[in-house]
Each structure stands twice: as structure tokens, then as C-alpha cells.
């Protein structure tokens, strides 16, 4: 006697956004090795013009005979070493640690995006990582975290720029051979960032202890981050990147690059893959930051900030067409936008919540399962639902918030439905934080389903401006001495439940609420379903 979460059929249309304009297409298979050191000679000579070339060749030759460490460096010399090995190796284990962003719906008239967005005004002067393979830290701390903070506070980015060394020295791999983007995101969420002026960048040192700066750094943590893929896949969602940029949130990426991305891009605005780029032979991995997009420029392209100095691209900035980006990018991570100063606490918590039958998910006009208010924060489905009925939740939020869903079980206890945890998983792939405001249907790859037990089901929807320990909350619901499920939910939330919320049903059968809640207040609504056999 419960609503449960089940996987959608494989042919489910999840409204994935695949814009292949501007060149490129499907991601090609990535070869196991590069083109060998001899193939690098023209590139190395053109890049270094003889300066230190013999030392570089010695290093490259040594790397040629060693197995790669799998991290992916990003300075030119490190990329050269990778070319002679196995290209860029991102870690599936690290990749799978990140929750998947629940994107907005792209229906006509819903969630329109600007034709062009640029966060360049929030970006610091482009820097040069030099000989160290620290591009993950440069793209994450120096670029992305600085842009986030400048956008939220209005500060001059060059006065608040964050140190890449503080981050890199926490996440470096063995022998300072690069790092993983997910490690950078985790460290920024845990230990934050410190100003470059306090922790200067040294390309020749990755061993300086960062822990003595943790107290300062933790005053500048990021809120969170998500993986911008089409559901729990490796396919990057172009629209999800645009959604973040439109909310002043830069995106950190890992991308395959080769010779045409190096010397050929000096003073050039648009990267155009050439030669053997399409086969990815002789390519290495590099992390950068997407700071904008323009649907008109070059037929549609992303604006990318690099860390190879101001001579690369135009003042350290380049453009990559959407199609080329999809072909060569390996990972994309959206960092949650920071609230404008005092913005979150000042804004009301306001949401429309609807339930949409699975068969109506892709309908041009949504048909909601009709709900009516039964008083307080309780609702009832107008018509009984049949056993096996599948449905998703639609949320339109005007304020960044967390959304959690619980279900009453046959024994009267409670279970967490969302964030959904598949059998065998210890960490959910779904993020409950809807920091990008708008209209969304979720979860993307699953639906709630009415089982065959009993004739009454309940779900509870809890919305909050602040993050809740949803497992602890679920335990409190189960442990409540109340007998009615709505009462159990309200009892478990006592102390943070917003009692002054305005909650009602709308004319089209959805739930609406608004409350001038403080940051620690939550709103709960409980829906009851009568259930009939097929």
C-alpha cells in the first residue's frame, strides 16, 4: 500500500536537448593511444620555438614508455605526454559521484532562454597556469568561483580572485599529474576558496600545505554542484549548460584538445577542429570554464575561458560551436548560482506543484491529475487512480529551493521517494536542489507508480529554502506517534514548518503555496489517492 518509484521504459522521451548545429555530431569512439611522440614534433617546435625543447622531449619520451595515471593533466607539456599514451582519462567513479541536474522543460512558451548570455564582465583577467597541470583548479577556482562571487556581490573580480594553488594542492594526483573535476567540486564545497593574494600561485610547487587556510576557505564555500548530463548518462546536456549561464552560473568542463587548439588558437576567436581531430588521435584532456553562449555567433557557440594566458584566443577567451563541443567535451559540471546579497532570505518561498500522468508527459498542453484541497496542507485526488498508474511531478519554483518526496508504506511507516535511490546505490544520482528556477518535470528517468496493495496511498511533498537531512526526516515521520500520515509529517517537521503558509488548489488541479518564510522554514503538502484495480 504505497506509491513507489520505478524506472521509465527505455524508449521514454526525456526531452533531451541535442543541438548539433555548428559542426560535429555524435561522439566518436576514443582510440586507446595517441599518435606517438614523432607526431608531436611539429606541434612542440611551433609551440616552444626551441626553448626547452630538449628537456620537453626527454620528458615526453619518458612518458611514452610509462602507463598513464588516468587523471588528465592540462598544461601543454602534460598534454604532450598524454598524447603519446592514452589521451584524457576521466574517472567513471568520480563522474558517478556527482548528482544529475534536474533540468527545466523546454516546451514552447516554457522556460524561454535568452539568445545570448555572457559572464565575461564577472571574469578575472585571464591567467597562465604555466608548466603545472592545474587546469582543473584554474577553471574551477580562479575562473568559476570568482565569477560566481562577483556576480552575487557585484565586486570587481580582480579584487576577489580565488587561488588555483589552494584548490590544486588539495586535489592533485600522484606526482602532480592533473586531477578530476569532481574532486575540485567536492573540495570547493567542503573547504571553499581563499584569495589569490593570500595563497599565490606557484607553477613549480604543488606540495604546499593548504590545511592551514581551511578556516578562511570555509567562509567561501560553493553551495553545491551537479553533473549536466541527459539523465544518468554520459551525454552532456547543452540546454542545461545554457540554463546555468542564464542564472550567472558558469560551467566547468573537461574537453579533448589537440594541436589545433593550441598554437592555431593564438589570437583566434573560434576553434575549428582540423586534421585528425575528428578521430581524436593525438589529443589530450583539458579543463576550462564556459562563461557564455550565443545562438547566433558562428551558428551557435559557447564562450570559453582558458588558462593559457591572454595570447590564447582573444585575450584568453575562445568560442566553440555547439556541435564541436558535444563531440569533444567529456564532462560538464554546473555550480549552483550564489544568491544575490540577502536575496534568498528576502524572497517568498513560492511554488506551483502538479502531478502529470506518464502518458501525458510529452503532451503539448499538460493534463494534470486533478487535486483538491481538503483543508490545511492536505489534498485529495479528485478521481481514483488505477493500480499501475505512473506519474511525475511538475514544480514551478520562483525561489531556489529543495524538494523532497515521501510515501506512506503499508505498515504505516514512511519511505523516501525523491531523491530517488536505486537498489544497490548508496548515493542518489538525483539532486533535490532546484537552484535554477523555472518549470520542470522530474525525475527524468523514473516515475511514481501506484502498486496493487490496498486502496489508499499518500505522498508528502516537502519544500524548503535550506537543505534538510531527508533520511533523518523520514525516520522522524515513521517514528511519530500520530496515526494520520499528514499529522505524522507535520509532527516530524515541527520547529521548521511554516505555519503561516498560504496553501490552496488551483483551477487546473495543481497545488499552490506562498509563504514569506525565513531561510529555515519548510512547507509540506500531503496528497491522498483513492486507488482502484484495473
Amino acid at each position: 500500500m504505497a506509491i513507489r518509484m520505478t524506472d521509465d521504459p527505455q524508449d521514454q522521451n526525456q526531452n533531451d536537448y541535442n543541438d548539433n548545429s555548428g559542426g560535429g555530431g555524435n561522439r566518436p569512439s576514443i582510440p586507446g593511444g595517441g599518435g606517438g611522440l614523432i607526431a608531436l614534433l611539429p606541434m612542440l617546435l611551433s609551440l616552444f620555438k626551441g626553448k626547452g625543447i630538449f628537456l620537453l622531449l626527454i620528458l615526453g619520451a619518458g612518458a611514452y614508455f610509462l602507463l598513464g595515471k588516468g587523471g588528465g593533466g592540462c598544461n601543454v607539456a602534460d598534454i604532450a605526454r598524454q598524447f603519446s599514451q592514452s589521451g584524457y582519462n576521466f574517472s567513471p567513479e568520480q563522474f558517478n559521484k556527482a548528482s544529475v541536474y534536474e533540468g527545466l522543460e523546454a516546451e514552447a512558451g516554457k522556460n524561454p532562454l535568452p539568445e545570448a548570455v555572457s559572464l565575461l564582465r564577472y571574469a578575472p583577467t585571464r591567467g597562465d597556469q604555466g608548466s603545472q597541470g592545474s587546469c582543473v583548479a584554474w577553471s574551477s577556482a580562479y575562473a568559476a568561483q570568482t565569477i560566481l562571487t562577483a556576480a552575487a556581490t557585484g565586486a570587481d573580480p580582480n579584487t576577489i580572485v580565488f587561488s588555483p594553488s589552494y584548490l590544486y594542492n588539495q586535489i592533485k594526483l600522484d606526482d602532480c599529474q592533473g586531477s578530476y573535476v569532481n574532486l575540485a567540486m567536492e573540495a570547493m564545497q567542503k573547504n571553499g576558496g581563499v584569495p589569490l593574494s593570500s595563497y599565490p600561485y606557484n607553477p613549480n610547487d604543488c606540495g604546499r600545505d593548504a590545511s592551514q587556510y581551511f578556516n578562511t576557505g570555509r567562509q567561501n564555500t560553493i553551495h553545491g554542484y551537479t553533473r549536466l548530463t541527459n539523465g544518468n548518462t554520459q551525454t552532456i546536456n547543452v540546454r542545461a549548460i545554457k540554463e546555468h549561464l542564464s542564472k550567472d552560473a558558469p560551467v566547468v568542463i573537461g574537453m579533448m584538445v589537440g594541436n589545433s587548439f593550441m598554437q592555431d588558437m593564438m589570437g583566434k576567436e573560434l576553434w575549428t577542429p582540423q586534421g585528425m581531430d575528428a578521430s581524436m588521435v593525438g589529443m589530450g584532456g583539458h579543463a576550462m570554464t564556459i562563461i557564455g553562449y550565443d545562438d547566433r555567433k558562428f551558428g551557435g557557440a559557447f564562450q570559453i575561458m582558458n588558462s593559457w594566458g591572454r595570447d590564447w584566443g582573444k585575450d584568453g577567451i575562445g568560442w566553440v560551436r555547439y556541435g564541436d563541443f558535444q563531440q569533444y567535451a567529456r564532462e560538464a559540471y554546473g555550480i549552483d548560482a550564489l544568491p544575490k546579497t540577502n536575496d534568498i532570505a528576502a524572497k517568498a518561498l513560492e511554488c506551483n506543484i502538479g502531478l502529470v500522468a506518464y502518458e501525458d508527459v510529452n503532451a503539448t498542453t499538460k493534463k494534470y491529475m486533478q487535486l483538491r484541497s481538503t483543508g490545511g496542507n492536505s489534498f485529495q485526488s479528485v478521481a481514483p487512480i488505477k493500480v499501475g498508474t505512473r506519474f511525475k511531478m511538475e514544480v514551478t519554483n520562483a525561489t531556489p529551493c529543495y524538494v523532497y518526496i515521501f510515501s506512506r508504506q503499508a505498515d504505516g511507516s514512511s519511505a523516501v521517494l525523491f531523491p530517488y535511490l536505486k537498489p544497490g546505490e548508496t548515493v542518489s544520482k538525483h539532486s533535490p536542489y532546484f537552484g535554477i528556477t523555472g518549470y520542470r518535470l522530474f525525475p527524468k528517468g523514473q516515475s511514481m507508480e501506484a502498486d496493487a496493495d490496498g486502496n489508499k496511498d499518500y505522498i508528502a511533498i516537502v519544500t524548503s529554502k535550506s537543505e534538510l537531512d531527508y533520511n533523518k526526516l523520514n525516520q522522524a515521520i515513521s517514528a511519530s506517534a500520530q496515526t494520520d500520515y499528514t499529522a505524522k509529517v507535520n509532527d516530524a517537521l515541527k520547529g521548521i514548518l511554516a505555519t503561516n503558509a498560504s496553501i490552496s488548489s488551483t483551477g487546473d488541479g495543481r497545488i499552490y503555496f506562498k509563504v514569506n518564510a525565513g531561510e529555515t522554514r519548510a512547507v509540506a503538502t500531503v496528497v491522498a489517492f483513492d486507488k482502484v484495480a484495473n
Side-chain angles (χ1 to χ4, degrees):
M1 189 167 66
I3 300 291
R4 54 189 178 136
M5 198 75 78
T6 56
D7 290 339
D8 289 337
Q10 290 299 311
D11 61 352
Q12 155 77 3
N13 180 357
Q14 296 178 16
N15 295 320
D16 290 344
Y17 183 87
N18 292 301
D19 184 347
N20 287 319
S21 60
N26 294 328
R27 185 195 310 276
S29 59
I30 298 174
L37 194 58
I38 298 301
L40 293 176
L41 286 175
M43 179 193 75
L44 297 174
L45 290 170
S46 67
L47 283 172
F48 292 91
K49 297 181 175 62
K51 298 178 182 178
I53 188 66
F54 292 107
L55 175 60
L56 182 62
L57 287 176
I58 291 172
L59 292 172
Y64 180 77
F65 293 103
L66 296 175
L67 293 174
K69 297 185 182 297
C74 23
N75 64 296
V76 173
D78 191 63
I79 288 174
R81 287 195 296 270
Q82 289 188 51
F83 283 178
S84 63
Q85 298 174 42
S86 60
Y88 175 53
N89 256 340
F90 83 97
S91 164
E93 179 183 0
Q94 290 292 330
F95 184 71
N96 279 323
K97 284 183 179 180
S99 297
V100 177
Y101 168 67
E102 297 287 348
L104 304 180
E105 293 299 298
E107 296 177 356
K110 298 281 190 180
N111 302 312
L113 294 174
E115 283 188 309
V117 169
S118 178
L119 307 183
L120 183 59
R121 65 192 181 279
Y122 303 123
T125 300
R126 266 58 68 199
D128 190 344
Q129 66 188 77
S131 60
Q132 189 179 83
S134 54
C135 60
V136 169
W138 277 84
S139 57
S140 300
Y142 184 90
Q145 191 172 14
T146 302
I147 291 171
L148 280 173
T149 305
T153 64
D156 179 345
N158 289 309
T159 66
I160 62 170
V161 64
F162 286 92
S163 168
S165 281
Y166 170 73
L167 178 60
Y168 184 62
N169 290 6
Q170 299 175 59
I171 64 172
K172 64 184 184 295
L173 301 182
D174 292 344
D175 300 323
C176 302
Q177 294 300 306
S179 189
Y180 304 120
V181 178
N182 190 66
L183 284 182
M185 299 292 115
E186 290 178 339
M188 289 163 65
Q189 191 170 17
K190 179 181 179 182
N191 297 323
V194 299
L196 180 61
S197 57
S198 300
Y199 200 115
Y201 179 66
N202 185 345
N204 300 312
D205 178 18
C206 69
R208 184 181 177 190
D209 182 19
S211 63
Q212 60 184 303
Y213 293 86
F214 283 173
N215 287 339
T216 300
R218 286 169 182 167
Q219 299 175 39
N220 303 298
T221 56
I222 63 170
H223 179 275
Y225 67 97
T226 47
R227 195 175 91 203
L228 306 186
T229 56
N230 292 326
N232 191 25
T233 70
Q234 293 186 11
T235 306
I236 295 175
N237 189 319
V238 168
R239 182 181 166 89
I241 295 174
K242 293 182 178 182
E243 289 172 6
H244 279 72
L245 295 169
S246 69
K247 299 294 185 180
D248 294 340
V251 174
V252 179
I253 61 168
M255 196 169 87
M256 301 295 290
V257 301
N259 187 32
S260 65
F261 201 80
M262 297 180 182
Q263 188 67 29
D264 291 352
M265 275 296 290
M266 297 298 175
K268 188 176 177 182
E269 194 171 21
L270 174 69
W271 176 51
T272 304
Q274 298 173 12
M276 300 183 70
D277 287 345
S279 66
M280 293 199 187
V281 172
M283 279 194 155
H286 185 45
M288 295 171 288
T289 310
I290 301 182
I291 64 170
Y293 70 87
D294 194 323
D295 291 338
R296 301 156 299 187
K297 195 177 183 73
F298 304 120
F302 283 122
Q303 186 181 35
I304 293 180
M305 179 172 167
N306 204 350
S307 53
W308 289 345
R310 301 179 71 175
D311 291 336
W312 184 90
K314 294 283 188 177
D315 194 26
I317 302 294
W319 290 81
V320 178
R321 292 187 179 101
Y322 296 147
D324 292 331
F325 171 80
Q326 286 186 297
Q327 183 168 356
Y328 294 99
R330 299 294 302 275
E331 300 178 85
Y333 294 83
I335 306 177
D336 297 341
L338 293 175
K340 310 303 181 186
T341 305
N342 297 324
D343 198 27
I344 279 254
K347 280 189 175 181
L349 179 57
E350 182 178 9
C351 286
N352 275 290
I353 299 174
L355 304 179
V356 181
Y358 175 80
E359 58 267 22
D360 293 327
V361 162
N362 298 306
T364 303
T365 302
K366 289 289 181 289
K367 298 178 181 178
Y368 300 106
M369 299 169 63
Q370 298 293 295
L371 307 177
R372 61 179 175 83
S373 173
T374 56
N377 60 342
S378 296
F379 291 81
Q380 171 72 47
S381 62
V382 172
I385 60 174
K386 294 181 179 180
V387 169
T389 296
R390 298 172 61 80
F391 59 94
K392 295 181 184 287
M393 185 168 291
E394 175 201 287
V395 169
T396 304
N397 61 315
T399 312
C401 61
Y402 293 85
V403 178
Y404 308 95
I405 309 173
F406 305 89
S407 171
R408 192 189 74 169
Q409 302 299 290
D411 62 1
S413 65
S414 185
V416 178
L417 287 186
F418 186 85
Y420 175 54
L421 192 66
K422 285 187 175 182
E425 290 182 344
T426 57
V427 179
S428 174
K429 296 297 186 294
H430 297 275
S431 171
Y433 183 62
F434 294 168
I436 304 299
T437 58
Y439 158 84
R440 52 172 52 80
L441 269 169
F442 70 98
K444 290 294 185 185
Q446 291 78 31
S447 293
M448 287 171 275
E449 181 178 348
D451 68 12
D453 295 332
N455 56 13
K456 193 88 171 179
D457 282 336
Y458 296 85
I459 61 170
I461 305 148
V462 177
T463 308
S464 175
K465 284 186 181 179
S466 58
E467 186 173 11
L468 303 178
D469 185 334
Y470 56 88
N471 287 315
K472 185 176 180 180
L473 176 57
N474 184 64
Q475 292 170 5
I477 297 172
S478 295
S480 171
Q482 301 291 332
T483 55
D484 176 75
Y485 192 61
T486 300
K488 289 171 83 69
V489 171
N490 293 343
D491 185 36
L493 285 164
K494 61 186 176 185
I496 65 169
L497 192 65
T499 57
N500 60 334
S502 174
I503 304 175
S504 62
S505 55
T506 64
D508 56 5
R510 292 181 293 164
I511 298 169
Y512 170 79
F513 67 79
K514 181 176 182 179
V515 59
N516 293 318
E519 197 169 346
T520 59
R521 292 292 180 262
V523 174
T525 53
V526 179
V527 180
F529 304 89
D530 291 320
K531 188 168 56 178
V532 295
N534 287 317

